[in-house]
Structures are given as structure tokens and as C-alpha cells.
Amino acid sequence: MPSVGSLTFLFTTINKISNKIRNIMATSGTPIQKPQQNSHGNKTSGRKTILQLLFLAFLVIGTIWIIRTQNDTPFQKDSGEIFGTFYHITYQSNEDLRPEIEAELNKVDASLSPFNPKSIITAVNDNKNITVNEMFTQVFMLAERVSKETNGAFDITVAPLVNAWGFGTEGRKTPTKATIDSLRQLVGYQKVALVNGHVKKSNPKMRLDCSAIAKGYGADVVANFFKRKGIENYLIEIGGEVVTSGNSEKRVPWRIGVVKPSDDTLDVNEETQTIINVTDKAMATSGNYRNFRYVAGKKFAHTIDPASGYPVQHSLLSATVLANDCATADAYATAFMAMGIDKAKKVLERHSELMAYFIYAGPKGDLKVWFSPALRSKIQ
């Protein structure tokens, strides 16, 4: 509810504007009360002027009222754990919505988390006869669409290969060529389909993993919840994937930093490469510079090429994508890391709704940057 100070300010403003109208009318010689009945033209003109001024007054009052109300509304801050990572949410509201926010996130977890033994995706991976819900359907269809657009660089069936290389849930290991060739038979987005609410696999051993899109989708779910509540100013961050709307507590657009790639897996010496204005946009970043391992003295990144079955070997270190929703940004950021910078640029040429910021290694190992021309005005 508006504070006593806001109401006092409002009534004071109304009184001032009302007096101003009277002064204007008196100066212009237009009567405010009891116009002459034998002067129809003056009477009509006076009424029109009064109506115009009253409309202007109410417009000004309404604007002031909105500003004052927003200034009086506090920003809430919530944080916690979900999807095996952390989330941080800031939003302007008189209510503490933490229970509702957690409920929304738990819905996503119950649909898409492979670590949740009771989730829908776990049931699908266990080949149980289950009808998937709307959340699962939305993510599956988006994943399929991005897979087609990236020629399979994004693939929610790649989990067996990720696990084989020791970047999944089964511990560190180094697969043989024979193992990789065998597992590749279980990978391929064309080998799964959603038919009448049921997932159909070409091989029952295939497993789905939506980790590369679930965090972004979770941020979208919370954003949609805020929209239903009429909340206009917020920042939602889940595991580094971000959705923003309106302004921050400082009454300025939200500004998000892009981390400078380094081999510091503990984030002790984290540096910011650049800052991007992402107000009313979603942003997701995928990188190979932290999650890696050495095998026989050779460095392998955690991004696996679904086509070859091996970790990617190219110069792209970090891919940041801005899109209208975070699930899309999340999926394309992952795909671009698998594709490399040249193929990623070609995809961007076909999708003007996407913007990207790439950090890559130059010929001498120095850091280089490329970004979409449309992103220039957002970089600070």
C-alpha cells in the first residue's frame, strides 16, 4: 500500500495543479465559473480549455503517483539452491514471494532434473510409461528446434558421451575409441520423438539430459510468475543464466558482467571481461575454461561434440548469448561452444533475434573478442 508520505505528496500536488489552473484561466481572461449565457462561443472555448488542462493535470498526477509508488516499493532478495547450482533473485515487490518462487522452481526440478529420482525425465530415462507434462514438452520441443538449427550441435541425448569422458555423474574416466563408437549409437536428437505426450526412443538405452537448457528455462518460469504478479523490475540468475526486466534498485538498467576466461577453477581471481546492458532481455553464457581435465598431458574441455563423440578442440573459450527468453539463450550458448566461432557466426546470420559475445584464443594464445553488431550499444 502507498505510504502516508505518498498520499500527502499526492494531495499537495493536486492542490498546486488546481491553483495553477485557476491562475492560467484568470490570466487568459477565461471565466472559470458562471460563463455568460449570451456568449456561446466563449462558453464552449472555456470549457474546452478547462477539460484540456484537467486532462493534463491528471496525466501529470498519474505519472507522479506511479513514480512515488515505485520509489516506496522495496526490492526483495532471494537466493538458494536448485538444479545442482545456486540462484539469486532480486525483484521489486511489497511481498516476500520466496515460497512461491521456490514452488515454481521445484516444478521445473520435478520435470527436468535427472538427479531427482521422481522427476519426469528420470522416468523417461528409466523407460517408464509416463505422460510428460507441459514443462517437459516445452523444453523438448525447444531443444529439438535448436538441434535442427545447429545441425545437431545442441543435443539432449549426448549424456552417455559426457559421462564417458568423466564430466557427468559417473566420475573421471578416459574412454577408448571402441567405447566412444559404441556410445555414439545412443546419441542423436533424431533418434527420439515426442508422440502424444510420450517419449519414443529408437534405443531404450538412450538417456535424455536437459541440463544445458533447464537453468535458462527455470529463469523464464520465474520471470513469467513475476509477470502474472504485475512485477516489472527484477533480475533472475540461476547458475549464471539471467533474465532481467525494468530497472535495478539504483533506478538504472540492469548491467551484467561477462567473466574473463581463465584456468582458475575456484573463481578466486575472477575478472570481468566486459559489462552488458541486458534490461528486458535474457542472457546465458557457456564456457570451456573452467570445467576441463588433462589426459596424458592433453587438456580436454567438458563440451562434447555429439557428432564425433570427443571433446571439442577449437579456439572459442566463452559464448554469451542474448535472446528474448533464457531457455533459448542457454541452448544456443551451449551449441555455439560445440560448433566453434565460425559456424556459430553463420547461425547468427540466420537469426537476427539473437546476439552473441564470443571470447576466443588468438594465434598467440591472447584473448580476442567478437560480438554481434547489434550488441554494440549494449556493451559498456
Side-chain angles (χ1 to χ4, degrees), residues 326-379:
C326 204
T328 297
D330 204 358
Y332 274 105
T334 300
F336 290 163
M337 286 305 305
M339 301 174 79
I341 190 168
D342 293 330
K343 291 181 180 179
K345 286 181 180 179
K346 292 181 180 179
V347 173
L348 289 168
E349 289 176 0
R350 302 195 304 268
H351 290 275
S352 59
E353 77 278 10
L354 302 177
M355 294 179 283
Y357 186 96
F358 297 144
I359 304 175
Y360 62 99
K364 298 181 180 180
D366 53 331
L367 294 182
K368 300 288 187 180
V369 168
W370 180 92
F371 54 84
S372 301
L375 195 56
R376 184 179 300 277
S377 62
K378 294 182 177 293
I379 296 175

Side-chain angles (χ1 to χ4, degrees), residues 272-301:
T272 299
Q273 174 73 32
T274 192
I275 295 175
I276 302 178
N277 177 350
V278 292
T279 290
D280 300 326
K281 282 286 184 181
M283 185 178 98
T285 299
S286 182
N288 277 333
Y289 50 91
R290 287 206 183 104
N291 194 0
F292 58 86
R293 55 183 298 227
Y294 287 93
V295 178
K298 188 174 183 179
K299 184 177 180 181
F300 288 95

